[in-house]
Amino acid sequence: MAVDRRQQIIDAATNSFSLFGYKATTIDQVAKLANVGKGTIYTFFKNKEELFDEIINDLIKEMKEVANDAVNPSDSFYENVHRALYKLLEFRKKHQLTIKLSQEARDIGTPAVLEVMEKLELAILNFIKDKVILAIQKGEIKDCDPEITSFIMMKLYIALIFDWEKKNEPLNKAEISELFEFYLFRGLST
Amino acid sequence: MAVDRRQQIIDAATNSFSLFGYKATTIDQVAKLANVGKGTIYTFFKNKEELFDEIINDLIKEMKEVANDAVNPSDSFYENVHRALYKLLEFRKKHQLTIKLSQEARDIGTPAVLEVMEKLELAILNFIKDKVILAIQKGEIKDCDPEITSFIMMKLYIALIFDWEKKNEPLNKAEISELFEFYLFRGLST
DNA sequence: CAAATGACCAATCGGATAAAATGGTCATTC
DNA sequence: GAATGACCATTTTATCCGATTGGTCATTTG
C-alpha cells in the first residue's frame, strides 16, 4: 500500500501537538506515530518548526473556511462580522490544537508557539479588515480606518468572549451579538 | 529625632518594590534601607504581604485623586470618562511601582502581585462604573448595564493605549479621545 | 539508485542534591 | 516596653550529571 508518507507525518504531528503541545512533542514520537523512520521526516520538512508551520497554515485555511461560511452576502455587515468573529473565536476555543497551544503560550511561552499564535490573530484581523473595507465602500458603515476598526472589533470580541467570563457568568451568543451591536454600531450617546 | 519608623518602613519598601519588584525585595533589605531592625517591621506589619497591601492601598488612594482631578462636573460624561481613564492608565504606565509590578506579573506571575494587579484594575473599574451609573441617571447616555459598560470602556482603553502600540505607532491623547468617542458614543452605523 | 532508515552526535533539558537566602520569631538589649 | 538581630524552618537558587532531543548521514532496502 503506497500510503502518503508526508500526510501521515502531518497527521501524526497534528495529533501529538494537539495532545501534548509543541514542546512536549518529540520528533521520535511523531515518527513512531506516523510509522515512519525519523530521518524520513527530515526529507519532507527542514526541521520541527517547519512541520509545525505547515500544520498551522492548514489550520488557518480551515479557519478561513469557517469564517467564510459564516458570511451571507444578503445579510448586513454587522450581522456578518458578528457571525464570522463568533465562529472564529468559538473555533479557537473548541479546537484541540488551538486550546493546547494557547495553554502552552500562556504557561510556558515557547517562542515558536508565541509566534504562531500571533500569526493566527493576524489572520483573523486581516479577514475582518477586508470585510470592513468592503463595508465602507458599500456605505454600510461610516468612513473609518479599517486597521483600527478591525483591531477594535476583535479586541471587543475577545473581551466579551474570553475576558468577561474570567470574572462573570459567560455571555451567550445572542447577548454578545446584542452588546456588539449596541456598543459598536448604535453607540452610547443619547 | 523621633522619626516616624512606620513611615520610614513604608517608604523604604515602596522604593525597593519599585526598583526590584515584590519577590526580589527582601525584608532584610527593607530593614537596612529604613535604618530599622528587621524585627521592628514585624511590630507594624503582620508580614511582607500586609506591608505590600498597605502600599498598594496608598497607591489606589493616589489613583483615585488623579481620577477625580480629571473630572469636571460641567463637562460631558464622555469627556470626563475619557480624561479620567486616560489619566489613570497613563499614571499606571509611568508610575515606577506599577511598571515594575506589571513586569513581575507578566514575567514571573508572583501570586501576591497578580492579586494586587487585579485589585488595581477593579478599583479603576469601580470608579468608571460609578460614573456610568450617574450618567445613566442624568440621561447623558442610553440605558445600559453599568457593569458591562464600564468593563468595555476599560477594555477599549487598554486596547488603545497598551495593545495597539505593540504593533503600531502609539496613538496620542487626541487620537484616543477621538476614537473613544467615535466607536463607543457615536457608533459605526450610518 | 533513490528513498527510507535508525544509530549516532552535539546540545539541551531536567531531576537530585547541596548550599544559600529568606520570611518570620523571640530572647535579649537599651 | 519598644527595638533589635541572632536564630530557625522553609524556600529558593546553583550545580552537577545522566537522560533526552533535534538533527545528520552512512547504510540498508525495495
Side-chain angles (χ1 to χ4, degrees), chain A residues 162-189:
Chain A
F162 294 94
D163 300 344
W164 174 261
E165 73 178 47
K166 281 177 197 160
K167 291 272 173 191
N168 308 272
E169 281 296 299
L171 303 159
N172 62 43
K173 191 178 173 175
E175 285 169 329
I176 290 173
S177 166
E178 214 175 306
L179 292 169
F180 190 60
E181 203 236 337
F182 181 75
Y183 289 99
L184 217 47
F185 284 82
R186 295 216 309 272
L188 274 173
S189 66

Side-chain angles (χ1 to χ4, degrees), chain A residues 16-17 55-56 61 63 72 93 101 108 110-111 122 129-130 147 162:
Chain A
S16 187
F17 288 149
I55 287 171
I56 294 301
K61 225 180 272 173
M63 280 174 40
N72 180 346
K93 205 171 167 181
L101 293 179
I108 317 186
T110 318
L122 200 64
K129 195 171 77 180
D130 288 348
E147 202 85 42
F162 294 94

Side-chain angles (χ1 to χ4, degrees), chain B residues 50-163:
Chain B
E50 213 175 65
L51 169 59
F52 188 39
D53 269 348
E54 175 123 359
I55 288 170
I56 294 301
N57 286 336
D58 288 353
L59 185 76
I60 290 178
K61 224 180 274 172
E62 210 185 325
M63 281 175 36
K64 285 215 172 108
E65 279 167 31
V66 167
N68 276 318
D69 285 355
V71 171
N72 181 345
S74 64
D75 286 342
S76 72
F77 167 73
Y78 144 71
E79 184 68 25
N80 279 325
V81 167
H82 160 60
R83 267 206 311 268
L85 263 174
Y86 190 86
K87 280 271 164 67
L88 279 172
L89 294 179
E90 277 294 300
F91 176 87
R92 197 176 105 181
K93 203 171 168 183
K94 297 219 168 93
H95 199 283
Q96 261 310 310
L97 179 56
T98 59
I99 292 173
K100 201 69 204 177
L101 293 180
S102 298
Q103 288 173 356
E104 189 171 346
R106 174 169 40 80
D107 300 340
I108 317 186
T110 319
V113 175
L114 290 176
E115 259 175 54
V116 144
M117 294 307 284
E118 275 195 30
K119 205 170 162 186
L120 279 187
E121 281 225 343
L122 200 63
I124 299 181
L125 214 47
N126 280 329
F127 180 89
I128 302 300
K129 194 170 78 180
D130 288 348
K131 302 293 166 205
V132 169
I133 292 173
L134 243 86
I136 296 175
Q137 283 171 356
K138 284 199 207 156
E140 283 194 88
I141 59 173
K142 289 179 189 160
D143 195 16
C144 59
D145 183 335
E147 203 83 42
I148 294 184
T149 303
S150 51
F151 171 78
I152 287 178
M153 283 183 170
M154 185 155 86
K155 284 291 173 185
L156 177 59
Y157 246 82
I158 289 176
L160 291 175
I161 293 189
F162 292 96
D163 299 344

